[in-house]
Amino acid sequence: MRLSELVDRYDDELRTADYADVDASANGLQVGPPDGDVEHVAFAVDAAAETIEAAAEAGADVLVTHHGLVWGGLDRVTGREYGRIEPLVENDLALYVSHLPLDGHQELGNAAGVADVLDLVDRSPFGEVGPEHVGTIGRAVDPFSVDELADLLETELEHDGEFVQVLDFGPDTVEDVAVLTGSGSDWLDEAVDAGADALVTGEGKQKVYHEAKEAGINVFLAGHYATETFGVRSLQALADEWGLETTYVEHPTGL
């Protein structure tokens, strides 16, 4: 498959262009010639020195990540930036990135993956960013206790030993759940307005403790990395369907 075809397929499925004005990430092909060939695709949550090196060692032609290298422009390729881009160029390894489009996709995205784990139904888009959404909200088939929901997140997500932090300021029984992965605590008020009993996200800011307590909502901080493995795993499944060789590079941060 040509790299340009792979990029077009992902861009079309993820509606990459629709997020161009609301995402600091330069989504799509960040490094590489579009006229290259692709037989082997590697996938990782983060484009970092170790994941890039692992993809190169696996013989991949392109690395697909959720967090890329370019955020709001790239002024100089020196220091850490050079250290990451150099092995991409030296190994003829392209880099494709999908940040908010992969958060917001209601079937392939990160929030959708967490919602699948929780078996949420009656889902709808959640987490407004301009005209787009970066999360999902749904209802549990069988309501959870707070402890049951925390245990399920700890068991099913790739935590690498860290624990789910719970701000249990909401109802003892959790039925309506808003999910916005990564650093999603800024959407707490939207979760409250939507009638959610809980917000599941990756990490929280200091202020979310007081906001959650004052609003009477449960917040589950399940890990930034742990909540954002689902999207790239879904893109890997697509590449498998397209007949490409794939490799998943696990590199949990514990955060």
Side-chain angles (χ1 to χ4, degrees):
M1 181 184 294
R2 303 294 285 178
L3 177 58
S4 57
E5 180 181 356
L6 180 73
V7 169
D8 287 345
R9 287 189 183 191
Y10 278 148
D11 281 348
D12 288 345
E13 178 61 47
L14 296 165
R15 296 191 302 110
T16 299
D18 293 340
Y19 286 80
D21 293 332
V22 298
D23 196 350
S25 172
N27 297 308
L29 186 66
Q30 284 196 357
V31 178
D35 58 349
D37 290 319
V38 176
E39 295 181 358
H40 186 169
V41 186
F43 298 83
V45 173
D46 303 305
E50 291 183 72
T51 57
I52 292 169
E53 290 169 6
E57 289 175 3
D61 302 301
V62 57
L63 172 63
V64 175
T65 69
H66 178 51
H67 301 129
L69 301 180
V70 182
W71 303 87
L74 188 62
D75 296 327
R76 292 180 175 84
V77 182
T78 60
R80 185 181 300 111
E81 287 74 21
Y82 184 84
R84 291 175 175 176
I85 293 175
E86 181 185 25
L88 290 169
V89 176
E90 284 187 345
N91 292 282
D92 199 20
L93 176 64
L95 175 66
Y96 179 91
V97 174
S98 185
H99 184 233
L100 294 188
L102 194 54
D103 284 323
H105 197 288
Q106 296 298 300
E107 295 179 2
L108 303 177
N110 290 314
V114 175
D116 288 342
V117 167
L118 302 180
D119 198 22
L120 300 184
V121 297
D122 299 330
R123 300 184 199 177
S124 58
F126 167 79
E128 292 184 359
V129 179
E132 301 299 333
H133 293 83
V134 289
T136 192
I137 188 169
R139 175 163 294 183
V141 174
D142 296 310
F144 300 100
S145 70
V146 172
D147 288 343
E148 286 172 341
L149 182 49
D151 289 344
L152 184 59
L153 291 169
E154 283 191 3
T155 301
E156 297 297 327
L157 273 58
E158 299 178 28
H159 281 100
D160 194 37
E162 80 257 28
F163 297 100
V164 174
Q165 291 181 284
V166 182
L167 305 178
D168 55 344
F169 297 131
D172 294 334
T173 300
V174 177
E175 186 172 11
D176 294 303
V177 183
V179 182
L180 204 157
T181 63
S183 182
S185 61
D186 286 342
W187 283 267
L188 182 137
D189 286 339
E190 185 175 336
V192 173
D193 292 343
D197 303 311
L199 170 66
V200 175
T201 186
E203 60 179 290
K205 300 174 182 177
Q206 167 74 7
K207 64 179 183 177
V208 74
Y209 175 94
H210 301 288
E211 292 174 343
K213 189 172 185 179
E214 292 162 8
I217 187 173
N218 298 299
V219 176
F220 296 80
L221 306 176
H224 197 130
Y225 179 93
T227 58
E228 296 200 325
T229 62
F230 296 95
V232 287
R233 292 276 197 186
S234 295
L235 297 186
Q236 181 180 14
L238 283 181
D240 288 334
E241 291 177 7
W242 298 336
L244 297 168
E245 181 182 355
T246 66
T247 297
Y248 181 72
V249 179
E250 293 189 49
H251 196 70
T253 63
L255 300 174

